[in-house]
Amino acid sequence: MFLLYFKTWRIPVLKICCVHFGYCVFKCVYFSVRHDIACHVTVCSFKMAAEDLPSQFDVVILGTGLTESVIAAACSRVGQSVLHLDRRNYYAGNWASFTFNGLLSWIEEYKNQQKVQITESEQVWRSLIDEGEDVVPLSSVDSSISNLEVFCYASEEEEKEEETKAPLTSCQPVNAETVSEETTGDSTEAQDTVTEPSQSQEEKDSQPISSPADPPVEVEKKITYQKLVKEGRRFNIDLVSKLMYSRGALVDLLIKSNVSRYAEFKNIGHILTCRNGKVEQVPCSRADVFASKQLTVVEKRMLMKFLTFCLDFEQHPEEYQDYTEKPFREFLKNKKLTENLQDFVLHSIAMVTQQTLTEEGLKATQHFLRCLGRYGNTPFLFPLYGLGEIPQCFCRMCAVFGGIYCLRHSVQCLVVDKASNKVKAVIDTRGQKISCSHFVVEDSYIRDEQRQSTAYRQISRAVLITDRSVLPSESDQQISLVTIPPLESSAPAVRMVELCSSSMTCMPGTYLVHLTCSSSGTAQEDLAPVVSELFHVSTIPGEEPSEGAEERSKPAVLWVMYFNMRDTSALDSSSYSLPSNVHVCTGPDGSLGSDCSIKLAESVFHHILPDEEFCPPAPNPEDIIYDGDGPQAEGPGFDESVNTEAEEEGAAHEKNPSTEPAEMDSVADTTPSSEE
């Protein structure tokens, strides 16, 4: 048995692992919320002897995305033995969050993967196939990301020392030249040295006087690329941009399963839209509608009447039955809503496309309205430290109930029984044959020859680091959701999520902006026009707009990444030529919420275990009992002897106690000092 203690700047972490037969079993795990730390621990633990994994599991799961992680937690919770693998060196797959430095490494790995031609090797596993067995090889290359482009607009010059001008007081004149800062390594602590030079009375009289209560005057400092790299740990950059509906399937599951205790959340403060190049507040609640300055009195009444109808539209089928097969936009026109109101409802409230049918649009509007007020004035929540925390939360739940995790470890092929046409085992990348009853796999591991169709939808993504918000307000610590209607009739609407530093996703003084839309071209082709419209993009790194220019009022882009992500959410089991006990999980879809992934996870779980409850509530950690029917006894060293025989051996034995440690399966509550 060994103990691993880790400290992060958020919370102290204690992780206890019990080693049996060379593999690592997580008896009870409180992972760091920083996935880079958690990944490092897991990889190192399994690197010791990954070849010695058990040879039999109920369920083997390949990929640690949200859907796979929920299935792993649900299966482990009801007593199934689960082996959870991922070929990557981090959790969450395409749902992952990276520090800025981690994202740069991920980009470098992507570029290297494009240059190297990987050939599938069959020699290792061919010798493990018996008579009456067939194989289904899996892909070792992830092709779900494409068209990745990175541009840096921050100054490339080396970071200069910060200067702070202290206020001058009547009792202590200060010479600004004597103020100095000393910075060592990565420390941000500065020491200010102030001296009082000799001065004549005339010089003292001419010295500016200020009140002692005046705050220090901060010298505005340009954010350079070196600064972004130096503060890279403060960033948590998501590959996929989503929010959580307060009454959505994901929030309901987090509450039901008690997994919500592993994470923290922040309300979305603003719902905005961009009209005629200006960012405006969207009136979506009763208070917003009547307080809006963009709407006329007539428009306010029309919007309130329509939103009230949407809350219980099922009770009035005569209002929309003639439009069930027609686009939602036509229904809005029939309701005599103005163009202004149509854009608000279609793009910012229902968040559907121009082609969406009326009934689907009404359901989306109703869902939005019912989510208002549960946790704030908007329907949405965002997990602190990024969306990548959510898959890890479910991985923690799986680990608590005995799931085994191994990163940088994949499956080469599936072993299929010819008689039943079902998977009976898998062969991992180290040549070990592992039996299983069910196999769950992320879509990116499936080869093209096992698909009925290789025509995929794509999502265009852009990630920006900017220097200020698109809509400055009294509080600069707000998360904003912005919808940008199509710039052209054929172009898709763009969804933008702007994250502030209090969401623990970016360094203070910057904002993290996510842009998402359905692809009609490459991500750069789809999103660069929107970036140019809302932000200042310099032609030379570090260049600032000229005085009086319109660009000066826009936030400046410091760094941007464009990429396309494959959207396979429209596929189902009939889209693959695979055995019946192989369950494929599609990746992130283009919608704002995660309901599609949660519903798929529940469907797969019930296919595997039709008589079991999906993710029943997990007990509190103090109520968990291991390896026995009663409470676990304290180990030796607390004045209690190990057993009754030890008590009968007398004082002689007490003077020479055994030095062999007893096996401990319980978690000791230890709080190491915080790192920062």
Side-chain angles (χ1 to χ4, degrees):
M1 189 205 124
F2 61 96
L3 298 179
L4 298 176
Y5 293 88
F6 287 90
K7 298 178 292 181
T8 70
W9 54 271
R10 178 192 174 196
I11 56 172
V13 176
L14 170 65
K15 182 177 179 181
I16 296 184
C17 305
C18 298
V19 178
H20 300 285
F21 311 110
Y23 63 91
C24 195
V25 180
F26 295 91
K27 300 300 286 186
C28 193
V29 185
Y30 292 91
F31 280 0
S32 163
V33 296
R34 297 298 301 270
H35 85 276
D36 48 348
I37 303 293
C39 290
H40 176 70
V41 174
T42 308
V43 172
C44 291
S45 301
F46 281 107
K47 197 173 180 180
M48 301 182 305
E51 297 82 8
D52 296 326
L53 288 168
S55 59
Q56 174 69 46
F57 286 92
D58 293 320
V59 184
V60 173
I61 301 177
L62 187 56
T64 53
L66 178 61
T67 308
E68 303 89 73
S69 299
V70 171
I71 295 170
C75 291
S76 180
R77 177 67 183 88
V78 297
Q80 298 287 294
S81 56
V82 176
L83 174 62
H84 204 171
L85 308 174
D86 201 315
R87 63 187 167 203
R88 307 171 181 91
N89 60 355
Y90 54 87
Y91 287 99
N94 285 345
W95 299 79
S97 301
F98 295 97
T99 63
F100 185 68
N101 308 81
L103 184 62
L104 296 179
S105 299
W106 178 83
I107 293 170
E108 194 64 29
E109 289 178 9
Y110 168 83
K111 292 180 178 178
N112 293 337
Q113 178 180 294
Q114 304 305 304
K115 298 176 183 178
V116 179
Q117 185 68 28
I118 300 177
T119 57
E120 309 286 350
S121 174
E122 298 183 0
Q123 297 178 353
V124 176
W125 50 261
R126 279 295 179 189
S127 60
L128 300 175
I129 305 304
D130 300 328
E131 187 178 351
E133 296 177 345
D134 201 357
V135 295
V136 176
L138 299 181
S139 175
S140 60
V141 181
D142 184 3
S143 57
S144 60
I145 303 295
S146 59
N147 304 319
L148 192 150
E149 298 286 345
V150 178
F151 302 93
C152 180
Y153 300 104
S155 175
E156 298 283 353
E157 63 187 23
E158 293 187 7
E159 183 183 4
K160 297 179 181 178
E161 293 183 356
E162 295 186 26
E163 294 183 359
T164 302
K165 292 184 178 179
L168 304 179
T169 65
S170 57
C171 60
Q172 184 177 358
V174 177
N175 185 349
E177 295 180 357
T178 63
V179 180
S180 64
E181 284 190 351
E182 297 180 2
T183 305
T184 304
D186 293 335
S187 175
T188 59
E189 297 179 1
Q191 296 178 345
D192 293 343
T193 304
V194 180
T195 62
E196 186 174 353
S198 59
Q199 294 177 306
S200 65
Q201 186 62 38
E202 293 181 359
E203 290 174 330
K204 291 182 180 181
D205 293 340
S206 62
Q207 185 73 34
I209 305 298
S210 64
S211 168
D214 289 344
V217 179
E218 295 289 341
V219 176
E220 185 176 352
K221 185 181 177 186
K222 183 187 297 184
I223 299 175
T224 64
Y225 181 73
Q226 295 298 327
K227 180 71 171 178
L228 296 178
V229 173
K230 181 179 178 181
E231 299 291 333
R233 288 184 66 249
R234 294 179 178 268
F235 289 88
N236 283 287
I237 304 172
D238 297 323
L239 290 183
V240 62
S241 175
K242 288 182 178 290
L243 300 177
M244 301 166 59
Y245 281 92
S246 63
R247 297 189 188 276
L250 179 55
V251 169
D252 290 344
L253 181 62
L254 288 169
I255 295 172
K256 173 191 174 185
S257 62
N258 280 344
V259 172
S260 58
R261 66 190 175 196
Y262 294 131
E264 298 176 75
F265 305 89
K266 183 177 175 66
N267 295 97
I268 307 305
H270 294 140
I271 297 180
L272 310 172
T273 189
C274 181
R275 299 175 63 251
N276 302 321
K278 296 182 179 180
V279 177
E280 301 175 350
Q281 181 90 22
V282 175
C284 49
S285 67
R286 182 183 295 272
D288 289 342
V289 170
F290 288 110
S292 175
K293 296 180 180 179
Q294 298 103 312
L295 303 180
T296 65
V297 175
V298 174
E299 285 181 319
K300 291 179 181 180
R301 291 175 179 172
M302 294 172 65
L303 183 58
M304 278 305 305
K305 182 179 179 181
F306 179 77
L307 296 180
T308 303
F309 158 74
C310 289
L311 278 172
D312 58 352
F313 74 92
E314 299 94 342
Q315 306 300 321
H316 309 282
E318 69 281 357
E319 295 279 344
Y320 64 91
Q321 59 185 3
D322 294 337
Y323 289 85
T324 53
E325 300 300 324
K326 296 180 181 179
F328 189 38
R329 185 98 188 194
E330 290 190 21
F331 178 72
L332 297 178
K333 292 179 181 177
N334 180 66
K335 285 292 184 179
K336 309 300 182 185
L337 298 184
T338 63
E339 287 288 337
N340 196 14
L341 296 181
Q342 289 178 35
D343 286 340
F344 280 153
V345 173
L346 192 70
H347 300 299
S348 302
I349 297 179
M351 299 183 192
V352 293
T353 66
Q354 301 272 5
Q355 294 75 35
T356 302
L357 297 180
T358 295
E359 190 167 0
E360 184 181 347
L362 288 172
K363 288 180 179 178
T365 305
Q366 183 187 67
H367 182 51
F368 181 97
L369 296 173
R370 287 180 173 175
C371 291
L372 286 170
R374 188 178 191 185
Y375 298 115
N377 293 328
T378 69
F380 304 110
L381 298 172
F382 181 79
L384 297 187
Y385 301 92
L387 191 68
E389 290 303 300
I390 302 302
Q392 290 184 78
C393 289
F394 285 100
C395 289
R396 291 165 208 163
M397 179 180 176
C398 177
V400 165
F401 291 96
I404 296 180
Y405 279 82
C406 192
L407 300 180
R408 293 181 183 171
H409 196 123
S410 188
V411 171
Q412 295 186 76
C413 64
L414 311 180
V415 180
V416 181
D417 179 58
K418 290 183 178 180
S420 62
N421 194 31
K422 289 189 175 182
V423 170
K424 59 185 294 188
V426 300
I427 297 177
D428 68 7
T429 47
R430 290 178 173 84
Q432 182 180 358
K433 192 173 183 178
I434 302 172
S435 300
C436 63
S437 301
H438 291 273
F439 181 70
V440 179
V441 59
E442 178 192 318
D443 175 86
S444 65
Y445 289 85
I446 304 299
R447 291 188 178 185
D448 286 345
E449 56 263 31
Q450 291 138 15
R451 304 173 187 270
Q452 299 291 345
S453 173
T454 56
Y456 314 109
R457 295 185 300 190
Q458 295 283 338
I459 302 170
S460 291
R461 291 274 293 112
V463 180
L464 291 73
I465 300 175
T466 66
D467 64 348
R468 60 183 186 272
S469 174
V470 293
L471 185 67
S473 60
E474 295 179 0
S475 172
D476 61 353
Q477 294 301 309
Q478 296 281 351
I479 300 177
S480 300
L481 169 64
V482 187
T483 52
I484 300 102
L487 299 178
E488 300 177 3
S489 58
S490 59
V494 177
R495 183 178 69 244
M496 184 174 87
V497 176
E498 183 184 70
L499 304 172
C500 57
S501 60
S502 64
S503 67
M504 305 301 178
T505 58
C506 58
M507 60 176 273
T510 64
Y511 286 82
L512 187 64
V513 179
H514 292 275
L515 298 175
T516 308
C517 73
S518 299
S519 298
S520 57
T522 66
Q524 186 179 359
E525 292 170 350
D526 290 339
L527 298 174
V530 177
V531 172
S532 299
E533 181 183 6
L534 295 178
F535 302 93
H536 167 67
V537 181
S538 60
T539 55
I540 302 174
E543 180 188 37
E544 294 190 6
S546 58
E547 291 290 341
E550 181 183 352
E551 291 291 306
R552 181 168 288 277
S553 63
K554 298 180 180 179
V557 177
L558 305 174
W559 185 89
V560 61
M561 174 179 70
Y562 298 99
F563 64 93
N564 289 98
M565 179 181 290
R566 181 187 295 173
D567 178 6
T568 56
S569 58
L571 305 180
D572 56 21
S573 57
S574 64
S575 304
Y576 306 93
S577 302
L578 294 168
S580 59
N581 61 339
V582 175
H583 313 280
V584 181
C585 298
T586 57
D589 64 344
S591 66
L592 182 61
S594 304
D595 286 11
C596 179
S597 298
I598 302 304
K599 290 176 181 177
L600 176 59
E602 185 172 5
S603 174
V604 170
F605 173 81
H606 285 308
H607 192 87
I608 297 173
L609 300 165
D611 299 326
E612 295 287 352
E613 182 183 358
F614 179 63
C615 277
N620 294 320
E622 59 270 18
D623 297 331
I624 300 176
I625 300 174
Y626 298 104
D627 299 336
D629 297 329
Q632 189 80 13
E634 299 280 4
F638 289 89
D639 295 333
E640 293 91 0
S641 53
V642 177
N643 50 44
T644 53
E645 292 182 2
E647 295 177 356
E648 296 173 357
E649 289 183 4
H653 179 73
E654 292 178 5
K655 293 181 180 180
N656 299 284
S658 172
T659 58
E660 182 179 353
E663 185 169 344
M664 180 174 68
D665 289 334
S666 60
V667 176
D669 292 332
T670 305
T671 305
S673 59
S674 61
E675 180 179 324
E676 197 169 8

